[in-house]
Amino acid sequence: MAIRNIREIGEEVLTKKCREVTEMTPRIRELIEDMLETMYEANGVGLAASQVGVLKRIVVIDTTGEDPYILINPRIVESSGEQTGQEGCLSVPGKSGQVTRPNYVKAVALDMNMREFELEGTELLARAICHELDHLDGHLYVEKAEGPLQDVNCREEEEED
């Protein structure tokens, strides 16, 4: 496993739409392992493949620090409610912004064995799912931020994407 460079706002790769994964290969497995290691090293709760420069529809999310979700070709199939709160991103270091997202989402994705599963989340997990899936379509949270971005301190950075 290796820690990969996290791409930052302004880099073209972050504006591109990611391609679907059609089969699990050793390279895809290595990418997922590297994404997890990179996310944990950066104290993030989520990371999309495009954030490490790979245009594949893969995200990793871990809001508890105990049990990461690996989502391949994820899509949101249901959402409801609303929550507004501060959101950050490893690709927009040192900043956060107020963003409104659904309070509940249900996503369908493939796991590491390319088997379909459902993931339901509320609050932080719902926010993380929406945030990471936006990355797969070339969007950053700053496009949805309500008002100017804020500088964040080190403690808040631990809660970032």
Side-chain angles (χ1 to χ4, degrees), residues 31 38 93 103 124 126 159:
L31 169 63
T38 302
N103 195 52
L124 179 58
E159 298 172 4

Side-chain angles (χ1 to χ4, degrees), residues 4 19 21 42 120 155:
R4 297 195 183 202
R19 296 180 299 277
V21 176
E120 294 180 274
R155 182 178 170 90

Side-chain angles (χ1 to χ4, degrees), residues 24-153:
M24 183 55 62
T25 65
R27 288 187 71 184
I28 296 291
R29 282 190 187 280
E30 180 181 7
L31 169 63
I32 292 168
E33 290 172 6
D34 290 353
M35 287 172 63
L36 286 166
E37 186 172 352
T38 302
M39 176 184 71
Y40 290 129
E41 177 70 20
N43 293 316
V45 298
L47 190 69
S50 59
Q51 289 180 274
V52 294
V54 179
L55 292 173
K56 296 283 187 186
R57 295 190 76 77
I58 302 170
V59 301
V60 296
I61 297 173
D62 189 348
T63 58
T64 65
E66 298 172 6
D67 193 20
Y69 296 106
I70 297 160
L71 292 86
I72 300 168
N73 302 335
R75 65 188 194 287
I76 294 173
V77 295
E78 189 178 324
S79 66
S80 64
E82 189 174 274
Q83 60 170 311
T84 301
Q86 287 299 112
E87 199 163 306
C89 180
L90 296 174
S91 291
V92 188
K95 299 289 184 183
S96 72
Q98 192 87 348
V99 179
T100 299
R101 302 255 189 207
N103 195 52
Y104 164 84
V105 297
K106 181 193 288 186
V108 174
L110 301 175
D111 64 16
M112 292 276 285
N113 297 311
M114 300 300 281
R115 284 186 283 223
E116 190 172 275
F117 72 100
E118 289 183 352
L119 174 61
E120 294 180 274
T122 59
E123 299 172 358
L124 179 58
L125 181 54
R127 178 177 294 280
I129 292 168
C130 293
H131 178 111
E132 297 309 328
L133 269 61
D134 278 354
H135 277 299
L136 299 181
D137 291 323
H139 299 288
L140 294 173
Y141 84 93
V142 298
E143 298 170 33
K144 298 178 190 272
E146 302 158 14
L149 299 183
Q150 306 292 315
D151 290 329
V152 295
N153 63 37

